[in-house]
Amino acid sequence: DPVKRNEHLDVIINETEFLDKLVIDMLEYSKMQAGYIELTKSNVELAKIVKKVLKTLKSLIDEKNIKVTHKLDDVVVYCDEVKITQVINNFITIYTRLTII
């Protein structure tokens, strides 16, 4: 059945892309631990990062009917903004995948 085949292919492609992203993230983490990546740390308002990630992942969150709330308005962390954005993005993406089960 062509329709079912295409649905299955879409799932396979999506899962492959997700696994590829995880492998790249693990490689980046290994490089960081080995000292090959220098973090660019600064004071970052965590709420801004979370809101940006939520906006990016809005369609995925809506599709899974997940409600996300936070109480981070006054939280400032000293970190690499790009890396913390990746962490939050990964966390939410993985959570949305777990809600399928």
Side-chain angles (χ1 to χ4, degrees):
D1 178 12
V3 173
K4 285 220 179 261
R5 182 188 69 220
N6 287 338
E7 287 176 7
H8 290 296
L9 286 174
D10 284 343
V11 169
I12 291 168
I13 289 169
N14 288 338
E15 292 301 315
T16 303
E17 289 172 351
F18 178 71
L19 290 173
D20 182 56
K21 186 176 181 320
L22 284 178
V23 169
I24 290 169
D25 287 344
M26 290 186 331
L27 287 171
E28 287 291 313
Y29 180 70
S30 295
K31 287 179 188 176
M32 184 177 65
Q33 281 198 320
Y36 294 118
I37 293 178
E38 189 171 322
L39 299 176
T40 307
K41 296 179 182 179
S42 63
N43 288 326
V44 176
E45 293 179 42
L46 204 51
K48 285 184 181 180
I49 303 297
V50 170
K51 288 174 186 175
K52 183 170 73 172
V53 170
L54 291 176
K55 185 176 180 181
T56 302
L57 298 176
K58 184 177 181 353
S59 62
L60 179 62
I61 293 167
D62 290 347
E63 175 186 321
K64 302 297 180 185
N65 199 26
I66 297 170
K67 181 179 178 185
V68 181
T69 60
H70 68 83
K71 296 178 182 181
L72 302 169
D73 290 333
D74 297 327
V75 177
V76 175
V77 293
Y78 183 69
C79 64
D80 184 303
E81 186 172 345
V82 172
K83 297 299 181 197
I84 198 69
T85 301
Q86 288 176 328
V87 168
I88 295 167
N89 188 311
N90 290 346
F91 177 78
I92 294 171
T93 302
I94 290 169
Y95 180 80
T96 59
R97 290 183 173 280
L98 291 175
T99 59
I100 295 171
I101 300 171

